[in-house]
Amino acid sequence: MPVSRMWFKRPQSTEIDLAFTAMNDALGQPPLMFVDLRPFSPPMVIVRSHHMPQVYGHMVHVTGPTSILAAHGEDWKQLRKRFNPGFAPQHLLTLLPCILEKSFVFLDHLDRFAHNGQSFSLVDLTGNLTFDIISGVVMDFDFGAQDVHRSSEFIRAYHELFQTYASEQMDLPWYLTPRVEWKRRQLAKRVRSTLEEIVRNTFANRQTQTTKSRSILSLSLQYYANELTAKAVSEACDQLSTLGHDTTNPNPSNVRDKLLSDEGKDLIHRITYTSAAIKEALRLWPPAGTARMVQPGVGVKVQAPHGEYSLDGVMVYNCAIMIQRDPKVFGETANDFVPERWLHEASDQIPVPAWRAFERGPRNCIGQELATLEARIVVALVARRYDFIKVGVGELSLDDADKPIEDTKGRFKVVSEMYSPIDGMVMRVRIQ
Ligand code: HEM
């Protein structure tokens, strides 16, 4: 199984997961692949098949030492218990007005771009929307990320902080990037002071107001009776930073025709189809994944054709993009956007663990209901009203009569292949 040197056809994209996929394909698609990137990262085992047993453990994260993502054992159990009620579907439905209010601001921006004809980054627009929705439902706080006239110091610091990670695909150790590390600490301090204030105010609100905030943060603070210690504030801030991570926003343009078709007229069907489209987008482009370091001495072993290997001291990475595009499960259309696969009876044939955008088991994503609720609302609102036209990377090829050209699979051909939103998804929008 260990590979010291190999050649593989480099994918066009710089997406590291696609590079891993190409390496795995070149090796004949083994279910586990050992990658040694030392000294840049610990030795890694990349999981391709959903059949492999999963390993849960400890993961270092930027969101603070007590973040729910990094916590384990009893600490994790307590945190999950504290936050579960806030993320329960019934509770999220009470926060629907907040989600809708922020979504309408997003539609205003799209209307503006439709009228002035300017191109814009859809990633920026949806990123700001997500920021506003999450801070609204989690903290009951309006940072105004979508407000072009408000330039919040908090948002600037937060974006800058995350930017320092976006450029570090390989997660280099801090001593190789001391300046970046110093910048991170400064920015994290600025973000932290605002979060501390919000936590203290929310707690004070619970103590003094008869109508208490219904935010996820407020619910999580109900476990503290009279006093909020500095440690409790710090822990709450760690969770707030964790909960702020990005959601994905599927491109709604492919969904629109189905929503408007005769068979799509009925609301239930539309919601079902929208959900299938979101699920399919998360299958092809899962925005998050799981990497767990198996602590030395734990004794985790795997059986491979050439013998048994120990995974102790190894980073186990469930490569969601590889697992979710496995041709053994998804067949010839493994790399194609086919929402219908989730609607037909044939979907019963897809093993449940083969789709794992929110991961599985007790450490699965606590925010998955919120993320899918948000995505369903936004796609449903947007797909009925707008046409999106990609410009730059992923732009449509046109024939002599300026008409899009279909490929053999009935999809429109593009000038250059679009893979993950490398260009920030620059596009234009038109009202239908
Ligand atoms: C499409 C959007 C999202 C995707 C694809 C996603 C994906 C994931 C994945 C794969 C994990 C497991 C990570 C691991 O095992 O290490 C995870 C965990 C988590 N996610 Fe999400 N997430 C999304 C949105 C959200 C949202 C909106 C929130 C909250 C506002 C959230 C909060 C969390 C938390 C707190 C955990 C850690 C849970 C635990 O360890 O108990 N996520 N997410």
Side-chain angles (χ1 to χ4, degrees), residues 56 59 68-69 71 76 80 87 134 138 242-248 282 286-292 356-359 362-368 370-371 374:
Y56 295 97
M59 180 175 140
I68 186 170
L69 266 178
W76 167 77
R80 188 88 188 201
F87 284 103
I134 293 184
V138 173
T242 307
L243 299 178
H245 77 239
D246 234 351
T247 59
T248 195
L282 287 172
T290 288
R292 298 275 196 253
R356 47 195 326 125
F358 294 113
E359 266 309 329
R363 298 299 297 250
N364 67 358
C365 177
I366 200 174
Q368 55 188 290
L370 172 60
E374 173 193 335

Side-chain angles (χ1 to χ4, degrees), residues 285-303:
W285 299 110
T290 288
R292 298 275 196 253
M293 177 69 96
V294 181
Q295 298 301 332
V298 171
V300 177
K301 295 204 169 73
V302 284
Q303 190 63 45

